[in-house]
Amino acid sequence: MDRPELALHQLHAFAVLAEELHFGRAAERLGIAQPPLSQQIGRLERRVGHPLFERGRRGPGGRVALTPAGRELLPAARRALEEVAAGLDAARRTGSGQAGRLRIGFAASLALTVLPRIVRAYGDRHPGVELEIREMTGAPQLAALREDAIDLGLLREPPDDADLVAEPVLTEPFVAVLPAGHPLAARRVVPVAALAGEPFVLLPRAAGPAFHDRIVAVCRAAGFEPRVAQRAVEWQTVSALVEAGLGVSLAPAGIRRVRLAGVAYRRVTPGTARTTVALCHRRDDRSPLVAGFLEAARGLEGAGPAVRRTGSGGLRRAAPRPAGPGGRPDTAPAGGLTSG
């Protein structure tokens, strides 16, 4: 880029004098004496190569008039000053996290639970930031983060990764997804072990290996290996396949908002069968936009059972919530981040 011919302070002095057409008043507005103002205008005129003001018509106090060259320069000078001022404001807003574009990936099921609240809280605090929200399963989110295609990923069961930091948002219980006419649908609570021998409808492992493995681990802890009969990428499709009688499933509790007449959602035991939802970002990302989004997520009241980040960025579950009514552990996320 070529070095600009004109200094901004000279353009500013010229624009003020062109508005006042009076050296005394212009100098007063600029907060300088008249001689330095005259020197700045003289240097600018030498740079242009032509007089910008007619000084021969000065009246009392130093009145002047614009020359044709001055009238031609004035609109360009004003545009330049306005663009620099706007650029400085935009730079300051971006540097403080109040402007710019933030790219966020999210797992589809989280649109049923925590995503709307976080986005709303962030938008209220940062209305000048453009949000680009992309629906993506877990594995593509992690790849997009590593490739700098998104800035944040909201996903389930984030893996340990030296290049990424996972900040937990909430934990969510699993529910059994059953055909409405299934014998287990008559129960209010279904032991995971009761699903042994049932055909399962699950997400493909490639869509989210850690989350898929978490579901399998819940089944194994109950003493059986799930027999997968059908696979579907979206939880809405999983529910539809269950309604069609093609199997049962274990799903995050937020899926209960997918209301199908032929599907029953039932709480499961043990209550420790839960999935962790986290915001992930690149470890070396110092963007104020990312920091602002994380702060908005942390500031949500009642963000469910506390899950804290360890110093290394790993996940550590906090103490259990106090017992609810009737002495049962209160396993549902609180304060609006309820999962269904």
Side-chain angles (χ1 to χ4, degrees), residues 106-124 131 133 154 257 293 300 336-338:
F106 74 97
S109 64
L110 298 177
L112 304 172
T113 55
V114 70
L115 177 70
R117 284 202 69 204
I118 299 178
V119 169
R120 188 181 304 114
Y122 180 77
D124 289 344
L131 293 179
I133 310 294
L154 185 62
R257 294 187 180 180
F293 198 86
L300 291 178
L337 294 190
T338 172

Short mmCIF file of all heavy atoms in Angstrom, two decimals, residues 106-124 131 133 154 257 293 300 336-338:
data_model
loop_
_atom_site.label_atom_id
_atom_site.label_comp_id
_atom_site.label_asym_id
_atom_site.label_seq_id
_atom_site.Cartn_x
_atom_site.Cartn_y
_atom_site.Cartn_z
N PHE A 106 -23.04 -26.60 16.26
CA PHE A 106 -23.83 -27.17 17.36
C PHE A 106 -24.43 -28.49 16.94
O PHE A 106 -24.77 -28.70 15.78
CB PHE A 106 -24.92 -26.20 17.81
CG PHE A 106 -26.09 -26.09 16.86
CD1 PHE A 106 -27.25 -26.83 17.06
CD2 PHE A 106 -26.01 -25.26 15.76
CE1 PHE A 106 -28.32 -26.74 16.18
CE2 PHE A 106 -27.08 -25.16 14.87
CZ PHE A 106 -28.24 -25.90 15.08
N ALA A 107 -24.56 -29.39 17.91
CA ALA A 107 -25.25 -30.64 17.69
C ALA A 107 -26.75 -30.37 17.67
O ALA A 107 -27.27 -29.61 18.48
CB ALA A 107 -24.91 -31.63 18.80
N ALA A 108 -27.46 -31.02 16.73
CA ALA A 108 -28.88 -30.69 16.51
C ALA A 108 -29.71 -30.83 17.77
O ALA A 108 -30.60 -30.00 18.03
CB ALA A 108 -29.43 -31.59 15.41
N SER A 109 -29.45 -31.84 18.59
CA SER A 109 -30.28 -32.05 19.78
C SER A 109 -30.15 -30.90 20.77
O SER A 109 -31.05 -30.67 21.60
CB SER A 109 -29.91 -33.36 20.47
OG SER A 109 -28.58 -33.32 20.95
N LEU A 110 -29.06 -30.13 20.69
CA LEU A 110 -28.87 -29.04 21.64
C LEU A 110 -29.70 -27.82 21.28
O LEU A 110 -29.84 -26.90 22.10
CB LEU A 110 -27.39 -28.69 21.73
CG LEU A 110 -26.52 -29.84 22.25
CD1 LEU A 110 -25.06 -29.46 22.24
CD2 LEU A 110 -26.97 -30.25 23.65
N ALA A 111 -30.26 -27.80 20.08
CA ALA A 111 -31.24 -26.76 19.75
C ALA A 111 -32.51 -26.94 20.57
O ALA A 111 -33.30 -26.01 20.71
CB ALA A 111 -31.56 -26.79 18.26
N LEU A 112 -32.69 -28.13 21.14
CA LEU A 112 -33.86 -28.41 21.97
C LEU A 112 -33.61 -28.10 23.44
O LEU A 112 -34.53 -28.20 24.25
CB LEU A 112 -34.24 -29.89 21.84
CG LEU A 112 -34.52 -30.40 20.43
CD1 LEU A 112 -34.69 -31.91 20.43
CD2 LEU A 112 -35.75 -29.72 19.85
N THR A 113 -32.37 -27.76 23.79
CA THR A 113 -32.05 -27.57 25.21
C THR A 113 -31.33 -26.24 25.44
O THR A 113 -31.96 -25.20 25.57
CB THR A 113 -31.20 -28.74 25.73
OG1 THR A 113 -30.03 -28.89 24.90
CG2 THR A 113 -31.99 -30.04 25.70
N VAL A 114 -30.01 -26.27 25.42
CA VAL A 114 -29.24 -25.14 25.92
C VAL A 114 -28.90 -24.08 24.88
O VAL A 114 -28.71 -22.92 25.21
CB VAL A 114 -27.95 -25.67 26.59
CG1 VAL A 114 -26.98 -26.23 25.56
CG2 VAL A 114 -27.28 -24.59 27.42
N LEU A 115 -28.83 -24.45 23.60
CA LEU A 115 -28.38 -23.51 22.57
C LEU A 115 -29.19 -22.22 22.55
O LEU A 115 -28.59 -21.13 22.55
CB LEU A 115 -28.39 -24.18 21.20
CG LEU A 115 -27.99 -23.25 20.03
CD1 LEU A 115 -26.52 -22.90 20.10
CD2 LEU A 115 -28.33 -23.89 18.69
N PRO A 116 -30.51 -22.25 22.50
CA PRO A 116 -31.25 -20.98 22.41
C PRO A 116 -30.95 -20.02 23.54
O PRO A 116 -30.83 -18.81 23.34
CB PRO A 116 -32.72 -21.43 22.42
CG PRO A 116 -32.69 -22.83 21.90
CD PRO A 116 -31.41 -23.42 22.45
N ARG A 117 -30.80 -20.54 24.77
CA ARG A 117 -30.55 -19.65 25.91
C ARG A 117 -29.19 -19.00 25.83
O ARG A 117 -29.03 -17.83 26.13
CB ARG A 117 -30.68 -20.43 27.23
CG ARG A 117 -32.13 -20.72 27.61
CD ARG A 117 -32.21 -20.98 29.11
NE ARG A 117 -31.95 -19.79 29.87
CZ ARG A 117 -31.50 -19.79 31.13
NH1 ARG A 117 -31.25 -20.93 31.72
NH2 ARG A 117 -31.30 -18.66 31.77
N ILE A 118 -28.18 -19.77 25.41
CA ILE A 118 -26.84 -19.19 25.33
C ILE A 118 -26.80 -18.13 24.24
O ILE A 118 -26.25 -17.03 24.43
CB ILE A 118 -25.78 -20.27 25.06
CG1 ILE A 118 -25.75 -21.29 26.19
CG2 ILE A 118 -24.40 -19.64 24.91
CD1 ILE A 118 -24.75 -22.42 25.98
N VAL A 119 -27.36 -18.45 23.08
CA VAL A 119 -27.34 -17.50 21.96
C VAL A 119 -28.10 -16.23 22.34
O VAL A 119 -27.65 -15.11 22.05
CB VAL A 119 -27.95 -18.16 20.70
CG1 VAL A 119 -28.19 -17.11 19.62
CG2 VAL A 119 -27.01 -19.24 20.18
N ARG A 120 -29.25 -16.38 23.01
CA ARG A 120 -30.01 -15.20 23.41
C ARG A 120 -29.23 -14.36 24.42
O ARG A 120 -29.18 -13.12 24.32
CB ARG A 120 -31.36 -15.62 24.01
CG ARG A 120 -32.30 -14.45 24.27
CD ARG A 120 -33.61 -14.92 24.89
NE ARG A 120 -34.25 -15.93 24.06
CZ ARG A 120 -34.42 -17.20 24.43
NH1 ARG A 120 -33.98 -17.61 25.61
NH2 ARG A 120 -35.02 -18.04 23.64
N ALA A 121 -28.61 -15.01 25.39
CA ALA A 121 -27.84 -14.27 26.40
C ALA A 121 -26.68 -13.53 25.76
O ALA A 121 -26.39 -12.38 26.09
CB ALA A 121 -27.34 -15.23 27.47
N TYR A 122 -26.00 -14.20 24.82
CA TYR A 122 -24.87 -13.55 24.16
C TYR A 122 -25.34 -12.38 23.29
O TYR A 122 -24.74 -11.30 23.28
CB TYR A 122 -24.11 -14.56 23.30
CG TYR A 122 -22.92 -13.97 22.58
CD1 TYR A 122 -21.73 -13.69 23.26
CD2 TYR A 122 -22.99 -13.66 21.23
CE1 TYR A 122 -20.64 -13.13 22.61
CE2 TYR A 122 -21.90 -13.11 20.57
CZ TYR A 122 -20.74 -12.84 21.26
OH TYR A 122 -19.67 -12.28 20.60
N GLY A 123 -26.42 -12.61 22.52
CA GLY A 123 -26.93 -11.55 21.66
C GLY A 123 -27.38 -10.32 22.43
O GLY A 123 -27.20 -9.20 21.97
N ASP A 124 -27.95 -10.52 23.62
CA ASP A 124 -28.35 -9.38 24.44
C ASP A 124 -27.15 -8.55 24.88
O ASP A 124 -27.24 -7.32 24.97
CB ASP A 124 -29.11 -9.86 25.68
CG ASP A 124 -30.49 -10.41 25.35
OD1 ASP A 124 -30.97 -10.16 24.23
OD2 ASP A 124 -31.08 -11.10 26.20
N LEU A 131 -23.67 -13.57 14.24
CA LEU A 131 -23.53 -14.98 14.58
C LEU A 131 -23.82 -15.84 13.36
O LEU A 131 -24.83 -15.66 12.68
CB LEU A 131 -24.49 -15.36 15.71
CG LEU A 131 -24.22 -14.73 17.08
CD1 LEU A 131 -25.27 -15.19 18.07
CD2 LEU A 131 -22.83 -15.09 17.56
N ILE A 133 -24.44 -19.63 12.76
CA ILE A 133 -24.73 -20.86 13.48
C ILE A 133 -24.84 -22.01 12.49
O ILE A 133 -25.61 -21.94 11.53
CB ILE A 133 -26.06 -20.74 14.27
CG1 ILE A 133 -26.08 -19.46 15.09
CG2 ILE A 133 -26.27 -21.95 15.15
CD1 ILE A 133 -25.08 -19.41 16.21
N LEU A 154 -20.48 -26.56 20.10
CA LEU A 154 -21.32 -26.98 21.22
C LEU A 154 -21.70 -28.44 20.96
O LEU A 154 -22.48 -28.73 20.05
CB LEU A 154 -22.56 -26.11 21.32
CG LEU A 154 -23.49 -26.34 22.51
CD1 LEU A 154 -22.78 -26.08 23.84
CD2 LEU A 154 -24.73 -25.46 22.40
N ARG A 257 -38.59 -33.26 23.58
CA ARG A 257 -39.30 -32.19 22.89
C ARG A 257 -39.67 -32.58 21.46
O ARG A 257 -40.39 -31.83 20.79
CB ARG A 257 -38.46 -30.92 22.91
CG ARG A 257 -38.28 -30.37 24.32
CD ARG A 257 -37.58 -29.03 24.33
NE ARG A 257 -37.44 -28.54 25.69
CZ ARG A 257 -36.88 -27.39 26.01
NH1 ARG A 257 -36.37 -26.63 25.05
NH2 ARG A 257 -36.78 -27.01 27.26
N PHE A 293 -18.55 -15.18 24.36
CA PHE A 293 -19.56 -16.24 24.28
C PHE A 293 -19.44 -17.19 25.46
O PHE A 293 -20.43 -17.61 26.05
CB PHE A 293 -19.42 -17.00 22.96
CG PHE A 293 -20.64 -17.79 22.59
CD1 PHE A 293 -21.68 -17.20 21.90
CD2 PHE A 293 -20.74 -19.13 22.95
CE1 PHE A 293 -22.82 -17.93 21.56
CE2 PHE A 293 -21.87 -19.86 22.62
CZ PHE A 293 -22.92 -19.26 21.92
N LEU A 300 -25.28 -18.00 32.68
CA LEU A 300 -26.66 -18.46 32.72
C LEU A 300 -26.98 -19.02 34.09
O LEU A 300 -26.23 -19.83 34.63
CB LEU A 300 -26.89 -19.54 31.66
CG LEU A 300 -26.85 -19.07 30.21
CD1 LEU A 300 -27.05 -20.25 29.29
CD2 LEU A 300 -27.91 -18.03 29.95
N GLY A 336 -34.26 -23.45 33.70
CA GLY A 336 -34.48 -23.14 32.29
C GLY A 336 -33.61 -23.91 31.35
O GLY A 336 -33.85 -23.91 30.15
N LEU A 337 -32.53 -24.54 31.83
CA LEU A 337 -31.74 -25.41 30.97
C LEU A 337 -32.27 -26.83 31.05
O LEU A 337 -31.56 -27.79 30.80
CB LEU A 337 -30.26 -25.37 31.36
CG LEU A 337 -29.57 -24.04 31.14
CD1 LEU A 337 -28.08 -24.18 31.33
CD2 LEU A 337 -29.87 -23.48 29.77
N THR A 338 -33.51 -26.94 31.45
CA THR A 338 -34.13 -28.25 31.56
C THR A 338 -34.11 -28.97 30.23
O THR A 338 -34.26 -28.34 29.18
CB THR A 338 -35.58 -28.13 32.08
OG1 THR A 338 -36.18 -29.41 31.98
CG2 THR A 338 -36.38 -27.14 31.29
#
